[in-house]
């Protein structure tokens, strides 16, 4: 009884297409957070090992500085302060949660997504693209410089699983 009679196949295809786009954005966001955490951990571990092995302590500073930049991107993508069930009341939802919320909204309707959902999707895509580009810049500059210096000194570098790429 709640299903509208005037929903067309084209409406449902539009809904499916928007859900696929939102799902891809969620995947990009999750991949970026995994990459950030991996890179940050590797850099700190390598810096610790390099210092203990007598390569100097300059790697520590580079790892710390790059780690702070990576953390800034992570905190835009994902709410890192939530630890208990009440924390979402105290800390705002970040980009990842907003994308997931939009996905839930689109999924909950049996109709073509409304104009507002499309506008919100475009807004979230723009915000995600900015964060992915920022991450790409950090990898291309800071992490690359860290790895260059490691190679110069004969120390193994950081492995970046997959370069994060923004898609429009």
């Amino acid at each position: 009884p709640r299903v509208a009679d005037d929903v067309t196949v084209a409406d449902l295809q539009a809904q499916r297409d928007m859900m696929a786009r939102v799902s891809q954005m969620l995947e990009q966001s999750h991949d970026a957070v995994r990459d950030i955490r991996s890179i940050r951990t590797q850099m700190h571990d390598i810096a610790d090992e390099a210092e203990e092995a007598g390569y100097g302590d300059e790697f520590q500073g580079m790892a710390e500085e790059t780690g702070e930049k990576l953390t800034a991107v992570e905190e835009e993508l994902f709410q890192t302060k939530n630890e208990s069930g009440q924390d979402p009341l105290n800390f705002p939802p970040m980009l990842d949660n907003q994308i997931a919320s939009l996905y839930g909204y689109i999924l909950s309707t049996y109709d073509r997504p409304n104009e507002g959902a499309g506008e919100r999707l475009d807004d979230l895509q723009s915000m995600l693209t900015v964060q992915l580009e920022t991450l790409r810049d950090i990898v291309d500059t800071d992490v690359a410089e860290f790895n260059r210096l490691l190679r110069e000194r004969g120390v193994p570098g950081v492995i970046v699983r997959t370069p994060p790429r923004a898609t429009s």
Side-chain angles (χ1 to χ4, degrees):
R2 294 184 188 164
V3 176
D5 292 334
D6 60 344
V7 177
T8 67
V9 171
D11 293 337
L12 296 176
Q13 287 174 334
Q15 179 188 37
R16 183 203 62 215
D17 292 346
M18 187 175 280
M19 287 175 56
R21 187 171 161 204
V22 174
S23 178
Q24 180 186 21
M25 289 169 56
L26 271 174
E27 186 176 333
Q28 289 175 315
S29 176
H30 293 170
D31 287 346
V33 170
R34 275 191 293 274
D35 290 345
I36 286 167
R37 291 175 178 178
S38 173
I39 293 166
R40 190 176 46 225
T41 298
Q42 288 182 67
M43 288 184 77
H44 284 294
D45 290 349
I46 291 168
D48 290 344
E49 293 293 328
E51 185 176 8
E52 287 177 22
Y55 288 100
D57 62 356
E58 65 190 302
F59 296 109
Q60 293 288 351
M62 292 176 77
E64 189 63 36
E65 183 180 324
T66 303
E68 289 173 7
K69 291 178 182 180
L70 291 167
T71 297
V73 174
E74 179 183 14
E75 289 176 347
E76 288 296 318
L77 293 172
F78 190 76
Q79 180 50 266
T80 60
K81 297 175 183 163
N82 286 340
E83 294 180 12
S84 74
Q86 293 296 312
D87 285 344
L89 299 173
N90 299 318
F91 304 112
M94 301 314 285
L95 190 56
D96 184 75
N97 189 268
Q98 294 174 44
I99 295 168
S101 179
L102 179 61
Y103 186 86
Y105 170 75
I106 296 165
L107 180 64
S108 71
T109 63
Y110 184 76
D111 202 352
R112 175 180 296 274
N114 62 29
E115 188 177 322
E119 290 172 5
R120 184 64 179 146
L121 176 59
D122 291 341
D123 290 344
L124 292 171
Q125 179 69 64
S126 296
M127 292 187 293
L128 179 61
T129 297
V130 167
Q131 296 307 316
L132 295 178
E133 288 173 353
T134 301
L135 177 55
R136 169 65 19 220
D137 290 344
I138 293 167
V139 169
D140 289 347
T141 57
D142 298 70
V143 176
E145 178 61 19
F146 186 82
N147 284 335
R148 185 196 64 73
L149 188 58
L150 290 171
R151 278 191 306 277
E152 215 174 74
R153 301 272 174 86
V155 181
V158 172
I159 300 164
V160 178
R161 183 177 55 84
T162 56
R165 298 276 182 221
T167 60
S168 299

